[in-house]
Every structure is written in structure tokens, then in C-alpha cells.
Amino acid sequence: MILRSLIIAITLFSCGVSHAQETQSEEAAKRAELLRTLPDNAAKRLFGGVSNAAPLEARAIGSYAKGCLAGASALPVDGESWQVMRLSRNRNWGHPQLIRTLETLARQVPKLTGWPGILVGDISQPRGGPMLTGHASHQIGLDADVWLTPKPEQPLSKAQRETMPATNMVNASWMDVDRAHWTPGQTAMIRAAAQLPNVARIFVNPAIKVGLCREAGSNRAWLSKVRPMWGHNYHFHIRIACPAGSGEACEDQAPPPDGDGCGKELSDWLALQHKALFGPKKDGPPSRPKPPMTLDALPDACREVLVAR
Ligand SMILES: [Zn+2]
């Protein structure tokens, strides 16, 4: 069962293995190469090419890794205790409820950590949908990446936000956090995010969950929402539940299992990750990539979202 869910996780959420910190020029080169080869009906080409929100009532349509977003709001790129990174990607759009959740977290973090605030990475495209680069999920405006690097004291310029590297918080063995960078602040921030009532899941690298399990203390209920995932060593991922009133169009995930998830599930993840990184490499030709999702694969309502003016 655990192996099955790991395999599902691998296919569904290869989000941000090394993507969070790529610079503007690295990202632009990847996008140009993709646009050269993608078919015209690839959903990521269509949704990746729209620069504004669909002027419709706010609605998350479909599931986290197959859907789109109507009536998105943009997280302001500068807030009193947050800054949005990599502005050239234009991915600071989300369902209004997610944007409020991020603003709430950003206001809590300075009080809990003493940091000036948080750095926000990719949320969604203006109309959601699959993205040209990175992320299987983030499609319906209910997922957001927050950097594990604190917001610096001095506000970052637009140029700095394109190039500043994020910090890898995992040590060289990939079995624990890197104590050279990890502080109680990261634990406090992730705990605060997990405790927000509409947050359904948080994704972190298994090595980061090791640190959280150790530092959680006696109140451990929040750890059940914090799920191990590939990557997520530069940022963590916040996923909220379908907002009330979304109707059947928005598909929630089953709730995470009870318990803190610090036992066998975590040790299995660590072993799997270790094998993937350091184990023998498979011989033979690389597996052929799946063809990209077309517009037909998304819920019908996403066609209206794509063309709404
Ligand atoms: Zn993410």
C-alpha cells in the first residue's frame, strides 16, 4: 500500500525537484525549447500563453493536477511581510481563498520566527492549467510554494528576485535537515501553515520531515498534514481544500491518514529517496516521456475559462 502510494506520488507530484530556484534565463531557455516542440493543442501551451485572469466568478475546476482556475486573484508582489519571487514567471495567481491564506501565514511568520517575512514562489498561472515548466499540480489555484529561505531584512529588487538562489535545507546524506541553514523558524513556519484551517496538505522533502518530527514536541496533530514528497528541499508546498461553495467541479483529495507519519512511512520514503539518488542507475534507453495533456483531457469548463474576456 505504501509502495503504491509512493508510486502514485512520484507520477503525480514531481513538483519543483530543482525548479524553485531556477533563474529567469534558465527558465526562459526551457520555455523556448518547449514551445518549439509542443503540439498546438497541448494544454500547457494554451494556458501558459495567457497573461491575465479569466473575468469570471472565482472557481477551482477539476483536480489539483488536472484542471484550471476562473476568477483568479494575484498575490500582490510586495506585502508588509512577504515578497513574490521570480516575477517574470507570472505565477502569483490563485483562488482568492488561497491568496488570503498566504497573506494570513505571511502575517503570522514574523511573530513566530522573528524573520521579516516569507518569500513566495510559484502559485498558479492566471487561468491555472498545466504549466510549461515544473509542477504537475498547481493547476486549480489551490497550491502554492513558499521558500524555506526567510525574506531578507532589505526588500529584494525585481532583478534580485529573478536570480537570488534559494537555500537547500537538506544535508548531503538526504536523511536529515542541514543544520547549517535549518533553524527553529522553518519548523514554526511549516507548523503555522499546517494549522491553518483550510490547509489540506503540506509537502516537504522526507529529510525535512525528519527535522519536523524531531522538533514538533508533544503537540503533533499538525504533522499528519505534512507529507513527504520528492524535491521540496528549497521550498515547501501548501495545498488548501476546495473552497466552500465550489460544488462538484472541484475535486478534493482524500484526507491524509491519521498519525504523525514519523514512523515507517517516513523511513520508507527516506530509503526510496536514498536509492533513487545514490543507488545503481538503471541501464537501457530512457523511458519515453508521456505526450503532453491536451485541452480535451481537462474538464469542459476549462475551455470557457481559457477564452473568457
Ligand atoms: Zn509546489
Side-chain angles (χ1 to χ4, degrees):
M1 181 62 195
I2 283 180
L3 185 64
R4 198 174 143 258
S5 57
L6 288 176
I7 291 166
I8 291 169
I10 295 162
T11 25
L12 275 184
F13 300 105
S14 53
C15 150
V17 169
S18 64
H19 184 251
Q21 75 286 4
E22 276 176 358
T23 64
Q24 183 175 12
S25 51
E26 289 163 342
E27 171 77 12
K30 264 195 186 174
R31 287 190 186 198
E33 174 59 19
L34 271 161
L35 288 170
R36 215 171 50 74
T37 53
L38 272 178
D40 286 348
N41 65 345
K44 59 171 81 170
R45 175 190 286 281
L46 298 166
F47 280 90
V50 186
S51 58
N52 58 6
L56 302 166
E57 196 189 333
R59 237 168 18 121
I61 301 162
S63 55
Y64 297 100
K66 193 186 277 188
C68 61
L69 171 66
S73 304
L75 178 68
V77 299
D78 292 285
E80 73 251 46
S81 51
W82 73 85
Q83 288 198 290
V84 175
M85 301 299 285
R86 306 294 191 256
L87 301 177
S88 60
R89 295 185 188 182
N90 194 28
R91 289 178 181 170
N92 57 318
W93 300 83
H95 190 284
Q97 198 178 108
L98 175 64
I99 300 304
R100 283 195 293 273
T101 301
L102 291 169
E103 291 178 356
T104 302
L105 177 67
R107 289 194 190 98
Q108 289 180 358
V109 164
K111 291 176 220 153
L112 296 169
T113 62
W115 301 350
I118 62 172
L119 299 177
V120 180
D122 286 357
I123 308 176
S124 283
Q125 300 178 133
R127 301 187 187 201
M131 298 189 189
L132 281 172
T133 56
H135 312 292
S137 64
H138 290 252
Q139 293 196 23
I140 56 176
L142 306 182
D143 292 288
D145 291 340
V146 174
W147 284 29
L148 291 162
T149 317
K151 181 175 114 53
E153 205 67 58
Q154 287 299 318
L156 296 166
S157 68
K158 292 212 159 95
Q160 286 172 316
R161 287 187 248 181
E162 298 293 350
T163 53
M164 185 183 125
T167 314
N168 177 16
M169 294 286 168
V170 167
N171 75 11
S173 72
W174 288 76
M175 289 290 185
D176 205 333
V177 295
D178 182 351
R179 313 255 186 153
H181 302 294
W182 185 263
T183 70
Q186 278 80 17
T187 300
M189 170 170 69
I190 295 171
R191 183 198 287 120
Q195 287 178 332
L196 293 170
N198 58 343
V199 168
R201 274 174 164 73
I202 302 278
F203 297 118
V204 296
N205 190 273
I208 286 178
K209 181 135 186 183
V210 170
L212 298 174
C213 287
R214 183 173 51 234
E215 292 165 22
S218 54
N219 168 11
R220 307 178 74 77
W222 58 278
L223 280 169
S224 70
K225 286 192 201 170
V226 182
R227 315 294 298 156
M229 189 53 61
W230 303 101
H232 297 89
N233 48 319
Y234 293 91
H235 69 264
F236 74 106
H237 177 130
I238 299 176
R239 167 168 295 171
I240 66 167
C242 288
S246 309
E248 285 176 11
C250 184
E251 290 174 40
D252 270 312
Q253 254 181 299
D258 288 340
D260 61 15
C262 294
K264 181 167 175 358
E265 187 196 4
L266 183 55
S267 53
D268 285 352
W269 258 105
L270 288 164
L272 189 74
Q273 174 169 264
H274 197 268
K275 191 167 162 224
L277 290 168
F278 303 110
K281 296 281 169 272
K282 278 203 207 110
D283 288 334
S287 53
R288 205 167 331 142
K290 275 198 299 183
M293 201 183 280
T294 64
L295 192 53
D296 291 337
L298 298 180
D300 287 344
C302 292
R303 291 177 182 275
E304 294 153 43
V305 169
L306 189 60
V307 300
R309 287 182 200 287

